[in-house]
Amino acid sequence: MGVPLHRSIARAIVGKPPYLKVNDLNKGARADDTLETLIDREIEQNLAKKHYSSSRSLIRVKRSTIMLSVMFEQMVTRGGNSIVGAVSKSYEKPFAAYHGWATRTAVFASLPALPTRAKLMVA
């Protein structure tokens, strides 16, 4: 059996699973690195804006964490069985500003395919 649609949509919005993003951070890090030295080194080497850089992975982890935090906060605040509003709001804050029109349109078009709150909590 394949991956449930709501997990596929979440993966499309957020990208890699968070644990893989954290693993990417470890690849570029040295044992004595701080976040500041890691980022400074990548800037010096013109790697910070590369899609595979630890700096970018760190940003993705941060944005994914913000999205999940806002989503659950919205779910608690809004109540009800639909999570569409909560997911929409949680996407806007950390991701929408950095995605182009086509990606934003695809994300918002996929929202009706999300599971109900009850199904999400069981998954």
Side-chain angles (χ1 to χ4, degrees):
M1 189 165 129
V3 177
L5 181 60
H6 64 279
R7 290 191 184 154
S8 298
I9 293 168
R11 178 76 41 85
I13 293 171
V14 177
K16 290 183 190 178
Y19 71 89
L20 288 178
K21 294 174 190 175
V22 173
N23 287 343
D24 287 348
L25 288 171
N26 288 332
K27 289 178 189 174
R30 297 178 185 159
D32 61 339
D33 266 341
T34 64
L35 288 176
E36 186 175 356
T37 59
L38 173 76
I39 292 168
D40 287 344
R41 185 174 61 253
E42 287 192 350
I43 290 170
E44 289 170 10
Q45 296 173 352
N46 289 327
L47 297 174
K49 292 188 177 184
K50 302 288 185 189
H51 73 280
Y52 55 81
S53 74
S54 295
S55 301
R56 295 284 298 259
S57 293
L58 182 61
I59 289 169
R60 288 183 191 106
V61 168
K62 178 184 176 192
R63 290 178 183 160
S64 297
T65 303
I66 291 169
M67 181 178 179
L68 290 171
S69 174
V70 172
M71 183 185 80
F72 287 118
E73 178 183 293
Q74 289 290 312
M75 286 173 65
V76 168
T77 303
R78 292 170 183 251
N81 202 29
S82 175
I83 64 168
V84 171
V87 172
S88 174
K89 186 75 168 175
S90 69
Y91 168 77
E92 288 172 10
K93 182 173 180 160
F95 289 112
Y98 304 100
H99 287 167
W101 175 85
T103 302
R104 288 192 313 270
T105 301
V107 167
F108 289 113
S110 68
L111 291 178
L114 290 171
T116 62
R117 178 188 189 133
K119 285 183 182 178
L120 178 68
M121 293 303 162
V122 172

